[in-house]
Amino acid sequence: QVQLVESGGGLVQAGGSLSLSCAASGRTFSIGTMGWFRQAPGKDREFVAGIAWSGGETYYGDFVKGRFTISRDNAKNTMILQMNNLKPEDTAVYYCAAATGWPKADFSSWGQGTQVTVSP
């Protein structure tokens, strides 16, 4: 089992930036892919970004359009999501997730989520 803890959410004005962090512990050797998802009130959870834990390959949801960057530090078992040019529609709870496979990722470990609020 992998335990995940997110941090870094908060309130920011439109056009601003936030950096989210996800710390992994437990069976981290089993991680193949890590990713970020988000869920806004009344909406389904959607994929934000993913990264191959070993090779560092990245992929993003279509809405990101170059505004977000995902990265990882294997030595610290940490994943980062740098979010720039934030928009009010980015307001959501952001979740960190881990999967054992790559590129086919079945995300089975989840963090508790961190709130991101973007004001107009």
Side-chain angles (χ1 to χ4, degrees), residues 31-70:
I31 297 175
T33 306
M34 288 193 71
W36 290 97
F37 292 78
R38 70 184 188 182
Q39 187 165 23
K43 295 188 176 182
D44 293 334
R45 184 172 61 195
E46 67 177 337
F47 172 77
V48 177
I51 186 166
W53 199 238
S54 178
E57 296 91 334
T58 59
Y59 55 110
Y60 297 90
D62 291 341
F63 68 89
V64 170
K65 299 187 186 302
R67 299 184 298 127
F68 298 175
T69 302
I70 189 172

mmCIF file of all heavy atoms in Angstrom, residues 31-70:
data_model
loop_
_atom_site.group_PDB
_atom_site.id
_atom_site.type_symbol
_atom_site.label_atom_id
_atom_site.label_comp_id
_atom_site.label_asym_id
_atom_site.label_seq_id
_atom_site.Cartn_x
_atom_site.Cartn_y
_atom_site.Cartn_z
ATOM 1 N N ILE A 31 5.455 1.949 -7.208
ATOM 2 C CA ILE A 31 4.825 3.005 -8.010
ATOM 3 C C ILE A 31 5.341 2.969 -9.446
ATOM 4 O O ILE A 31 6.543 2.978 -9.686
ATOM 5 C CB ILE A 31 5.089 4.391 -7.402
ATOM 6 C CG1 ILE A 31 4.460 4.494 -6.012
ATOM 7 C CG2 ILE A 31 4.518 5.476 -8.315
ATOM 8 C CD1 ILE A 31 4.788 5.788 -5.298
ATOM 9 N N GLY A 32 4.417 2.954 -10.395
ATOM 10 C CA GLY A 32 4.769 3.055 -11.804
ATOM 11 C C GLY A 32 4.393 4.401 -12.383
ATOM 12 O O GLY A 32 5.104 4.976 -13.188
ATOM 13 N N THR A 33 3.258 4.920 -11.924
ATOM 14 C CA THR A 33 2.745 6.186 -12.404
ATOM 15 C C THR A 33 2.181 6.962 -11.216
ATOM 16 O O THR A 33 1.562 6.368 -10.322
ATOM 17 C CB THR A 33 1.609 5.994 -13.415
ATOM 18 O OG1 THR A 33 2.032 5.147 -14.476
ATOM 19 C CG2 THR A 33 1.122 7.328 -13.981
ATOM 20 N N MET A 34 2.375 8.265 -11.238
ATOM 21 C CA MET A 34 1.673 9.117 -10.284
ATOM 22 C C MET A 34 0.929 10.192 -11.065
ATOM 23 O O MET A 34 1.337 10.579 -12.160
ATOM 24 C CB MET A 34 2.624 9.744 -9.281
ATOM 25 C CG MET A 34 3.146 8.730 -8.271
ATOM 26 S SD MET A 34 3.966 9.478 -6.860
ATOM 27 C CE MET A 34 2.581 10.215 -5.994
ATOM 28 N N GLY A 35 -0.154 10.645 -10.489
ATOM 29 C CA GLY A 35 -0.962 11.609 -11.217
ATOM 30 C C GLY A 35 -1.734 12.541 -10.317
ATOM 31 O O GLY A 35 -1.815 12.331 -9.097
ATOM 32 N N TRP A 36 -2.271 13.569 -10.934
ATOM 33 C CA TRP A 36 -3.150 14.522 -10.262
ATOM 34 C C TRP A 36 -4.515 14.474 -10.932
ATOM 35 O O TRP A 36 -4.621 14.455 -12.164
ATOM 36 C CB TRP A 36 -2.587 15.943 -10.355
ATOM 37 C CG TRP A 36 -1.365 16.183 -9.535
ATOM 38 C CD1 TRP A 36 -0.070 16.137 -9.952
ATOM 39 C CD2 TRP A 36 -1.329 16.503 -8.142
ATOM 40 N NE1 TRP A 36 0.771 16.409 -8.908
ATOM 41 C CE2 TRP A 36 0.027 16.640 -7.786
ATOM 42 C CE3 TRP A 36 -2.303 16.701 -7.163
ATOM 43 C CZ2 TRP A 36 0.436 16.957 -6.486
ATOM 44 C CZ3 TRP A 36 -1.901 17.021 -5.882
ATOM 45 C CH2 TRP A 36 -0.552 17.141 -5.547
ATOM 46 N N PHE A 37 -5.523 14.496 -10.106
ATOM 47 C CA PHE A 37 -6.907 14.589 -10.545
ATOM 48 C C PHE A 37 -7.546 15.752 -9.797
ATOM 49 O O PHE A 37 -7.019 16.213 -8.795
ATOM 50 C CB PHE A 37 -7.662 13.297 -10.224
ATOM 51 C CG PHE A 37 -7.209 12.107 -11.023
ATOM 52 C CD1 PHE A 37 -6.035 11.431 -10.690
ATOM 53 C CD2 PHE A 37 -7.946 11.640 -12.095
ATOM 54 C CE1 PHE A 37 -5.610 10.334 -11.425
ATOM 55 C CE2 PHE A 37 -7.541 10.536 -12.827
ATOM 56 C CZ PHE A 37 -6.372 9.886 -12.486
ATOM 57 N N ARG A 38 -8.694 16.197 -10.293
ATOM 58 C CA ARG A 38 -9.410 17.234 -9.569
ATOM 59 C C ARG A 38 -10.905 16.996 -9.674
ATOM 60 O O ARG A 38 -11.378 16.356 -10.615
ATOM 61 C CB ARG A 38 -9.046 18.619 -10.100
ATOM 62 C CG ARG A 38 -9.570 18.932 -11.496
ATOM 63 C CD ARG A 38 -9.072 20.286 -11.951
ATOM 64 N NE ARG A 38 -9.703 20.700 -13.204
ATOM 65 C CZ ARG A 38 -9.413 21.820 -13.845
ATOM 66 N NH1 ARG A 38 -8.482 22.643 -13.359
ATOM 67 N NH2 ARG A 38 -10.040 22.126 -14.964
ATOM 68 N N GLN A 39 -11.627 17.530 -8.705
ATOM 69 C CA GLN A 39 -13.082 17.422 -8.721
ATOM 70 C C GLN A 39 -13.674 18.717 -8.206
ATOM 71 O O GLN A 39 -13.417 19.118 -7.067
ATOM 72 C CB GLN A 39 -13.556 16.240 -7.874
ATOM 73 C CG GLN A 39 -15.050 15.989 -7.998
ATOM 74 C CD GLN A 39 -15.444 14.627 -7.463
ATOM 75 O OE1 GLN A 39 -14.754 14.024 -6.652
ATOM 76 N NE2 GLN A 39 -16.575 14.121 -7.921
ATOM 77 N N ALA A 40 -14.458 19.358 -9.048
ATOM 78 C CA ALA A 40 -15.165 20.573 -8.681
ATOM 79 C C ALA A 40 -16.565 20.198 -8.178
ATOM 80 O O ALA A 40 -17.077 19.128 -8.532
ATOM 81 C CB ALA A 40 -15.261 21.509 -9.874
ATOM 82 N N PRO A 41 -17.183 21.049 -7.375
ATOM 83 C CA PRO A 41 -18.531 20.752 -6.865
ATOM 84 C C PRO A 41 -19.513 20.461 -7.984
ATOM 85 O O PRO A 41 -19.603 21.219 -8.961
ATOM 86 C CB PRO A 41 -18.904 22.031 -6.116
ATOM 87 C CG PRO A 41 -17.610 22.634 -5.722
ATOM 88 C CD PRO A 41 -16.665 22.323 -6.839
ATOM 89 N N GLY A 42 -20.217 19.348 -7.867
ATOM 90 C CA GLY A 42 -21.224 18.993 -8.848
ATOM 91 C C GLY A 42 -20.689 18.424 -10.145
ATOM 92 O O GLY A 42 -21.453 18.178 -11.076
ATOM 93 N N LYS A 43 -19.380 18.218 -10.215
ATOM 94 C CA LYS A 43 -18.786 17.696 -11.447
ATOM 95 C C LYS A 43 -18.060 16.383 -11.176
ATOM 96 O O LYS A 43 -17.711 16.071 -10.035
ATOM 97 C CB LYS A 43 -17.811 18.721 -12.039
ATOM 98 C CG LYS A 43 -18.476 20.002 -12.507
ATOM 99 C CD LYS A 43 -17.491 20.878 -13.248
ATOM 100 C CE LYS A 43 -18.166 22.128 -13.798
ATOM 101 N NZ LYS A 43 -17.202 22.978 -14.572
ATOM 102 N N ASP A 44 -17.818 15.637 -12.243
ATOM 103 C CA ASP A 44 -17.068 14.400 -12.120
ATOM 104 C C ASP A 44 -15.585 14.694 -11.898
ATOM 105 O O ASP A 44 -15.080 15.751 -12.278
ATOM 106 C CB ASP A 44 -17.222 13.559 -13.388
ATOM 107 C CG ASP A 44 -18.630 13.045 -13.572
ATOM 108 O OD1 ASP A 44 -19.349 12.895 -12.553
ATOM 109 O OD2 ASP A 44 -19.002 12.778 -14.732
ATOM 110 N N ARG A 45 -14.922 13.736 -11.317
ATOM 111 C CA ARG A 45 -13.478 13.862 -11.170
ATOM 112 C C ARG A 45 -12.842 13.801 -12.545
ATOM 113 O O ARG A 45 -13.230 12.987 -13.380
ATOM 114 C CB ARG A 45 -12.947 12.731 -10.291
ATOM 115 C CG ARG A 45 -11.464 12.799 -9.991
ATOM 116 C CD ARG A 45 -11.097 11.759 -8.963
ATOM 117 N NE ARG A 45 -11.389 10.413 -9.431
ATOM 118 C CZ ARG A 45 -11.428 9.355 -8.638
ATOM 119 N NH1 ARG A 45 -11.217 9.492 -7.344
ATOM 120 N NH2 ARG A 45 -11.692 8.167 -9.140
ATOM 121 N N GLU A 46 -11.835 14.670 -12.787
ATOM 122 C CA GLU A 46 -11.164 14.675 -14.082
ATOM 123 C C GLU A 46 -9.654 14.586 -13.919
ATOM 124 O O GLU A 46 -9.075 15.055 -12.933
ATOM 125 C CB GLU A 46 -11.542 15.911 -14.903
ATOM 126 C CG GLU A 46 -11.059 17.222 -14.376
ATOM 127 C CD GLU A 46 -11.409 18.387 -15.300
ATOM 128 O OE1 GLU A 46 -11.629 18.177 -16.519
ATOM 129 O OE2 GLU A 46 -11.455 19.526 -14.804
ATOM 130 N N PHE A 47 -9.028 14.002 -14.923
ATOM 131 C CA PHE A 47 -7.584 13.829 -14.938
ATOM 132 C C PHE A 47 -6.910 15.165 -15.240
ATOM 133 O O PHE A 47 -7.319 15.873 -16.158
ATOM 134 C CB PHE A 47 -7.205 12.791 -15.985
ATOM 135 C CG PHE A 47 -5.742 12.671 -16.233
ATOM 136 C CD1 PHE A 47 -4.929 12.001 -15.334
ATOM 137 C CD2 PHE A 47 -5.165 13.238 -17.356
ATOM 138 C CE1 PHE A 47 -3.573 11.887 -15.561
ATOM 139 C CE2 PHE A 47 -3.816 13.134 -17.594
ATOM 140 C CZ PHE A 47 -3.009 12.447 -16.691
ATOM 141 N N VAL A 48 -5.861 15.476 -14.483
ATOM 142 C CA VAL A 48 -5.101 16.715 -14.683
ATOM 143 C C VAL A 48 -3.759 16.433 -15.344
ATOM 144 O O VAL A 48 -3.427 16.998 -16.382
ATOM 145 C CB VAL A 48 -4.887 17.451 -13.350
ATOM 146 C CG1 VAL A 48 -4.039 18.700 -13.561
ATOM 147 C CG2 VAL A 48 -6.214 17.796 -12.697
ATOM 148 N N ALA A 49 -2.971 15.560 -14.740
ATOM 149 C CA ALA A 49 -1.631 15.290 -15.248
ATOM 150 C C ALA A 49 -1.118 13.989 -14.655
ATOM 151 O O ALA A 49 -1.519 13.590 -13.567
ATOM 152 C CB ALA A 49 -0.680 16.435 -14.914
ATOM 153 N N GLY A 50 -0.192 13.352 -15.383
ATOM 154 C CA GLY A 50 0.426 12.126 -14.903
ATOM 155 C C GLY A 50 1.896 12.095 -15.259
ATOM 156 O O GLY A 50 2.342 12.774 -16.187
ATOM 157 N N ILE A 51 2.647 11.293 -14.503
ATOM 158 C CA ILE A 51 4.078 11.199 -14.746
ATOM 159 C C ILE A 51 4.540 9.782 -14.463
ATOM 160 O O ILE A 51 4.118 9.149 -13.485
ATOM 161 C CB ILE A 51 4.840 12.223 -13.876
ATOM 162 C CG1 ILE A 51 6.324 12.244 -14.232
ATOM 163 C CG2 ILE A 51 4.646 11.957 -12.375
ATOM 164 C CD1 ILE A 51 7.066 13.456 -13.665
ATOM 165 N N ALA A 52 5.409 9.268 -15.339
ATOM 166 C CA ALA A 52 6.010 7.958 -15.118
ATOM 167 C C ALA A 52 7.037 8.082 -14.002
ATOM 168 O O ALA A 52 7.951 8.909 -14.085
ATOM 169 C CB ALA A 52 6.680 7.476 -16.399
ATOM 170 N N TRP A 53 6.888 7.279 -12.981
ATOM 171 C CA TRP A 53 7.726 7.437 -11.808
ATOM 172 C C TRP A 53 9.199 7.147 -12.099
ATOM 173 O O TRP A 53 10.080 7.783 -11.546
ATOM 174 C CB TRP A 53 7.234 6.497 -10.698
ATOM 175 C CG TRP A 53 7.698 6.868 -9.334
ATOM 176 C CD1 TRP A 53 8.426 6.107 -8.476
ATOM 177 C CD2 TRP A 53 7.465 8.108 -8.652
ATOM 178 N NE1 TRP A 53 8.662 6.797 -7.319
ATOM 179 C CE2 TRP A 53 8.093 8.025 -7.397
ATOM 180 C CE3 TRP A 53 6.804 9.291 -8.995
ATOM 181 C CZ2 TRP A 53 8.053 9.066 -6.465
ATOM 182 C CZ3 TRP A 53 6.766 10.329 -8.077
ATOM 183 C CH2 TRP A 53 7.390 10.209 -6.823
ATOM 184 N N SER A 54 9.461 6.217 -12.988
ATOM 185 C CA SER A 54 10.840 5.873 -13.301
ATOM 186 C C SER A 54 11.425 6.781 -14.376
ATOM 187 O O SER A 54 12.444 7.441 -14.154
ATOM 188 C CB SER A 54 10.924 4.412 -13.745
ATOM 189 O OG SER A 54 12.248 4.073 -14.093
ATOM 190 N N GLY A 55 10.790 6.853 -15.528
ATOM 191 C CA GLY A 55 11.358 7.577 -16.661
ATOM 192 C C GLY A 55 11.013 9.048 -16.737
ATOM 193 O O GLY A 55 11.664 9.797 -17.463
ATOM 194 N N GLY A 56 9.986 9.472 -16.017
ATOM 195 C CA GLY A 56 9.630 10.883 -15.999
ATOM 196 C C GLY A 56 8.766 11.360 -17.148
ATOM 197 O O GLY A 56 8.524 12.567 -17.285
ATOM 198 N N GLU A 57 8.291 10.452 -18.005
ATOM 199 C CA GLU A 57 7.406 10.886 -19.092
ATOM 200 C C GLU A 57 6.141 11.498 -18.495
ATOM 201 O O GLU A 57 5.663 11.054 -17.459
ATOM 202 C CB GLU A 57 7.011 9.693 -19.979
ATOM 203 C CG GLU A 57 8.171 9.038 -20.714
ATOM 204 C CD GLU A 57 8.801 7.894 -19.941
ATOM 205 O OE1 GLU A 57 8.721 7.881 -18.695
ATOM 206 O OE2 GLU A 57 9.372 6.989 -20.580
ATOM 207 N N THR A 58 5.634 12.517 -19.176
ATOM 208 C CA THR A 58 4.477 13.227 -18.638
ATOM 209 C C THR A 58 3.336 13.279 -19.652
ATOM 210 O O THR A 58 3.562 13.178 -20.868
ATOM 211 C CB THR A 58 4.847 14.664 -18.249
ATOM 212 O OG1 THR A 58 5.341 15.350 -19.413
ATOM 213 C CG2 THR A 58 5.916 14.686 -17.173
ATOM 214 N N TYR A 59 2.139 13.420 -19.137
ATOM 215 C CA TYR A 59 0.985 13.639 -20.001
ATOM 216 C C TYR A 59 -0.030 14.450 -19.221
ATOM 217 O O TYR A 59 -0.038 14.427 -17.978
ATOM 218 C CB TYR A 59 0.398 12.328 -20.530
ATOM 219 C CG TYR A 59 0.007 11.306 -19.493
ATOM 220 C CD1 TYR A 59 -1.334 11.010 -19.257
ATOM 221 C CD2 TYR A 59 0.957 10.601 -18.761
ATOM 222 C CE1 TYR A 59 -1.708 10.056 -18.331
ATOM 223 C CE2 TYR A 59 0.598 9.652 -17.824
ATOM 224 C CZ TYR A 59 -0.742 9.376 -17.622
ATOM 225 O OH TYR A 59 -1.112 8.435 -16.685
ATOM 226 N N TYR A 60 -0.858 15.187 -19.964
ATOM 227 C CA TYR A 60 -1.740 16.178 -19.358
ATOM 228 C C TYR A 60 -3.155 16.097 -19.912
ATOM 229 O O TYR A 60 -3.370 15.674 -21.051
ATOM 230 C CB TYR A 60 -1.200 17.590 -19.624
ATOM 231 C CG TYR A 60 0.142 17.861 -19.004
ATOM 232 C CD1 TYR A 60 1.325 17.609 -19.692
ATOM 233 C CD2 TYR A 60 0.233 18.371 -17.704
ATOM 234 C CE1 TYR A 60 2.562 17.853 -19.108
ATOM 235 C CE2 TYR A 60 1.458 18.623 -17.115
ATOM 236 C CZ TYR A 60 2.620 18.366 -17.830
ATOM 237 O OH TYR A 60 3.836 18.610 -17.243
ATOM 238 N N GLY A 61 -4.094 16.550 -19.098
ATOM 239 C CA GLY A 61 -5.448 16.724 -19.576
ATOM 240 C C GLY A 61 -5.505 17.841 -20.613
ATOM 241 O O GLY A 61 -4.687 18.761 -20.584
ATOM 242 N N ASP A 62 -6.452 17.743 -21.520
ATOM 243 C CA ASP A 62 -6.524 18.698 -22.626
ATOM 244 C C ASP A 62 -6.687 20.137 -22.152
ATOM 245 O O ASP A 62 -6.193 21.079 -22.785
ATOM 246 C CB ASP A 62 -7.683 18.339 -23.553
ATOM 247 C CG ASP A 62 -7.441 17.054 -24.319
ATOM 248 O OD1 ASP A 62 -6.262 16.648 -24.414
ATOM 249 O OD2 ASP A 62 -8.411 16.446 -24.808
ATOM 250 N N PHE A 63 -7.354 20.331 -21.031
ATOM 251 C CA PHE A 63 -7.649 21.695 -20.575
ATOM 252 C C PHE A 63 -6.398 22.408 -20.040
ATOM 253 O O PHE A 63 -6.386 23.610 -19.874
ATOM 254 C CB PHE A 63 -8.720 21.669 -19.477
ATOM 255 C CG PHE A 63 -8.229 21.033 -18.194
ATOM 256 C CD1 PHE A 63 -7.605 21.782 -17.218
ATOM 257 C CD2 PHE A 63 -8.390 19.669 -17.988
ATOM 258 C CE1 PHE A 63 -7.147 21.202 -16.052
ATOM 259 C CE2 PHE A 63 -7.943 19.070 -16.821
ATOM 260 C CZ PHE A 63 -7.310 19.835 -15.855
ATOM 261 N N VAL A 64 -5.336 21.669 -19.761
ATOM 262 C CA VAL A 64 -4.148 22.266 -19.155
ATOM 263 C C VAL A 64 -3.505 23.282 -20.095
ATOM 264 O O VAL A 64 -3.127 24.383 -19.668
ATOM 265 C CB VAL A 64 -3.136 21.177 -18.752
ATOM 266 C CG1 VAL A 64 -1.809 21.804 -18.345
ATOM 267 C CG2 VAL A 64 -3.718 20.341 -17.614
ATOM 268 N N LYS A 65 -3.340 22.920 -21.357
ATOM 269 C CA LYS A 65 -2.860 23.830 -22.396
ATOM 270 C C LYS A 65 -1.600 24.598 -21.985
ATOM 271 O O LYS A 65 -1.510 25.812 -22.115
ATOM 272 C CB LYS A 65 -3.957 24.797 -22.811
ATOM 273 C CG LYS A 65 -5.184 24.114 -23.384
ATOM 274 C CD LYS A 65 -6.171 25.101 -23.942
ATOM 275 C CE LYS A 65 -7.460 24.426 -24.393
ATOM 276 N NZ LYS A 65 -7.237 23.386 -25.405
ATOM 277 N N GLY A 66 -0.631 23.884 -21.438
ATOM 278 C CA GLY A 66 0.658 24.476 -21.133
ATOM 279 C C GLY A 66 0.714 25.268 -19.848
ATOM 280 O O GLY A 66 1.766 25.824 -19.507
ATOM 281 N N ARG A 67 -0.371 25.330 -19.102
ATOM 282 C CA ARG A 67 -0.378 26.126 -17.883
ATOM 283 C C ARG A 67 0.196 25.380 -16.674
ATOM 284 O O ARG A 67 0.696 25.996 -15.734
ATOM 285 C CB ARG A 67 -1.812 26.562 -17.570
ATOM 286 C CG ARG A 67 -2.431 27.431 -18.654
ATOM 287 C CD ARG A 67 -3.821 27.902 -18.242
ATOM 288 N NE ARG A 67 -4.738 26.771 -18.045
ATOM 289 C CZ ARG A 67 -5.452 26.583 -16.939
ATOM 290 N NH1 ARG A 67 -5.347 27.433 -15.927
ATOM 291 N NH2 ARG A 67 -6.275 25.551 -16.839
ATOM 292 N N PHE A 68 0.098 24.061 -16.673
ATOM 293 C CA PHE A 68 0.544 23.263 -15.525
ATOM 294 C C PHE A 68 1.761 22.434 -15.918
ATOM 295 O O PHE A 68 1.895 22.007 -17.082
ATOM 296 C CB PHE A 68 -0.557 22.306 -15.065
ATOM 297 C CG PHE A 68 -1.830 22.951 -14.587
ATOM 298 C CD1 PHE A 68 -2.918 22.162 -14.243
ATOM 299 C CD2 PHE A 68 -1.952 24.326 -14.474
ATOM 300 C CE1 PHE A 68 -4.093 22.730 -13.800
ATOM 301 C CE2 PHE A 68 -3.120 24.910 -14.023
ATOM 302 C CZ PHE A 68 -4.195 24.099 -13.697
ATOM 303 N N THR A 69 2.610 22.162 -14.931
ATOM 304 C CA THR A 69 3.772 21.299 -15.131
ATOM 305 C C THR A 69 3.851 20.297 -13.992
ATOM 306 O O THR A 69 3.854 20.695 -12.817
ATOM 307 C CB THR A 69 5.066 22.111 -15.189
ATOM 308 O OG1 THR A 69 4.984 23.072 -16.259
ATOM 309 C CG2 THR A 69 6.258 21.194 -15.451
ATOM 310 N N ILE A 70 3.942 19.014 -14.332
ATOM 311 C CA ILE A 70 4.086 17.968 -13.333
ATOM 312 C C ILE A 70 5.545 17.522 -13.303
ATOM 313 O O ILE A 70 6.207 17.442 -14.347
ATOM 314 C CB ILE A 70 3.140 16.778 -13.630
ATOM 315 C CG1 ILE A 70 3.123 15.791 -12.475
ATOM 316 C CG2 ILE A 70 3.492 16.103 -14.947
ATOM 317 C CD1 ILE A 70 2.062 14.694 -12.627
#
